[in-house]
Amino acid sequence: MLTATTLTTTTAATAAATTVTTAAAGVTAEVDGGPTVRLSKEEAGKGGSITVTGRGWRPRALLTLLICGQNMIGGTNSCANGDGRAVTTDAQGAFHKSLPVAEPPKPCPCVVHVSTVTGAAAAVDAAFQVAGHPVAPLPKESTGGRLTVLSPPRLTGSSGLLTWFGAPPQRELTVTIGNLGPTPAKDPVFHVGTSHGVFAPQWEERQWRGTVPAGKRAEVRLPVELAAGAHGDYLIALKYGGKVLAEQPWGVGRPWGVTLFWVLLCLVIPMVVFRVGMAIVNRVRPRRTGAGGGVGRGRGARAAGGSAALPWFTADSAPSATASPSATASPSSTPTERPTSKGSA
């Protein structure tokens, strides 16, 4: 059970986690025990530039630098994403980057938002004034309870075999929510955003069925699904009442089954085309018959069937197969009988 006093203390600690100090040389923002961000100017107009310096970040980490309106309570949708910059920290976790001043889509109060792209989530917001940009009060908190995150979010679940072949990766975003408001939050509607690289997140509504009483906590599980074939480093964000409550990185493996399928397809299709082409060639080419083939068949017939009549002999005058070789070779040596005429002796 979580008392209202405990939740109030937690909120106060969270609010005090980011400290912003204004000095003559600029603005410095830091997270207690974490990274720091320093701006060379506290105010500049569109078309100008400021220098952002950071320390205490994770070594060799990829960071994004954005100018956001409304204190970024609406997530990166309130930031000038097209004019943002990316920077990689050095071996000591420090960086130094020039950032062009652009007008965000939301009115000020504005901040320079520095956050990690991959790995463990970390972010720092430094107050900054865009000269000439409209200023408007922050939106009021929605009724139905004031929810806050009490523990780091986590993604549960695993990918199946179909994901290896390009099916949409799916997980469950699990987070412990506490209600700081005086009224219970019944069936709260959250927004789950997925972003890839430096692109703005795509938000989808997720309604959680249940009630978080005032001063109590509850574990919330919300489904998360990416597009088919998605792979790489993604960032999952949870938003409620226009405020981003938590962010969790998600590294999605490449669907190697799709790659294997295309490799096999590139091998099978040429083979099939070759076989079909050879079959067509065998059908359409003319069949050649020559004298050599007939002679060959004749010789084969004589070998199989013995003797055969030669074309220059008639059936009556063909030499006998039983004639002796000497008789056949020397027809003159064989006496010839002449027919006697009738009445002769």
Side-chain angles (χ1 to χ4, degrees):
M1 179 176 180
L2 183 68
T3 62
T5 304
T6 305
L7 286 175
T8 305
T9 305
T10 304
T11 306
T14 304
T18 303
T19 304
V20 180
T21 304
T22 304
V27 178
T28 301
E30 60 181 350
V31 176
D32 292 343
T36 64
V37 169
R38 184 176 180 275
L39 308 181
S40 60
K41 301 176 183 178
E42 62 181 74
E43 182 177 355
K46 179 182 178 181
S49 63
I50 59 174
T51 301
V52 184
T53 306
R55 296 183 181 279
W57 295 84
R58 193 171 65 251
R60 308 299 181 186
L62 179 62
L63 309 178
T64 56
L65 287 67
L66 299 171
I67 295 180
C68 307
Q70 293 286 278
N71 284 350
M72 202 194 165
I73 60 176
T76 53
N77 287 336
S78 59
C79 303
N81 297 295
D83 297 287
R85 292 293 183 267
V87 64
T88 302
T89 60
D90 57 19
Q92 286 73 39
F95 70 90
H96 187 84
K97 186 71 175 178
S98 177
L99 178 66
V101 178
E103 294 186 352
K106 300 289 184 178
C108 286
C110 299
V111 296
V112 173
H113 178 73
V114 182
S115 63
T116 56
V117 177
T118 60
V124 175
D125 294 334
F128 178 73
Q129 179 62 39
V130 181
H133 192 61
V135 180
L138 296 176
K140 296 181 180 180
E141 295 182 355
S142 58
T143 59
R146 291 188 296 119
L147 303 182
T148 186
V149 175
L150 301 179
S151 65
R154 62 186 186 276
L155 292 171
T156 58
S158 60
S159 300
L161 181 62
L162 293 180
T163 305
W164 201 68
F165 286 94
Q170 297 177 346
R171 291 291 189 276
E172 267 192 346
L173 180 63
T174 304
V175 62
T176 301
I177 297 294
N179 186 1
L180 304 178
T183 58
K186 183 178 181 181
D187 297 337
V189 178
F190 297 92
H191 286 80
V192 177
T194 58
S195 60
H196 184 51
V198 297
F199 295 100
Q202 302 294 324
W203 297 98
E204 294 183 0
E205 285 190 358
R206 294 286 188 269
Q207 185 173 20
W208 182 70
R209 298 293 181 180
T211 301
V212 185
K216 301 292 182 66
R217 68 170 67 190
E219 186 178 72
V220 175
R221 295 176 178 267
L222 301 172
V224 180
E225 181 175 314
L226 302 179
H231 63 277
D233 295 319
Y234 285 81
L235 185 66
I236 309 302
L238 179 66
K239 183 170 66 174
Y240 177 76
K243 182 179 180 180
V244 178
L245 301 180
E247 292 179 332
Q248 175 65 26
W250 181 11
V252 184
R254 182 181 295 272
W256 291 108
V258 179
T259 305
L260 179 61
F261 170 78
W262 285 111
V263 170
L264 294 177
L265 194 64
C266 292
L267 295 176
V268 170
I269 288 181
M271 186 180 299
V272 172
V273 172
F274 176 77
R275 295 291 297 273
V276 172
M278 293 302 298
I280 294 175
V281 169
N282 288 334
R283 283 182 174 275
V284 300
R285 70 177 180 180
R287 298 186 178 277
R288 299 191 303 174
T289 58
V295 172
R297 288 192 295 272
R299 290 177 179 174
R302 286 197 298 271
S307 62
L310 297 177
W312 51 84
F313 289 103
T314 62
D316 295 336
S317 61
S320 174
T322 58
S324 62
S326 60
T328 306
S330 302
S332 59
S333 60
T334 304
T336 304
E337 294 183 359
R338 292 186 177 182
T340 57
S341 58
K342 186 176 180 182
S344 61

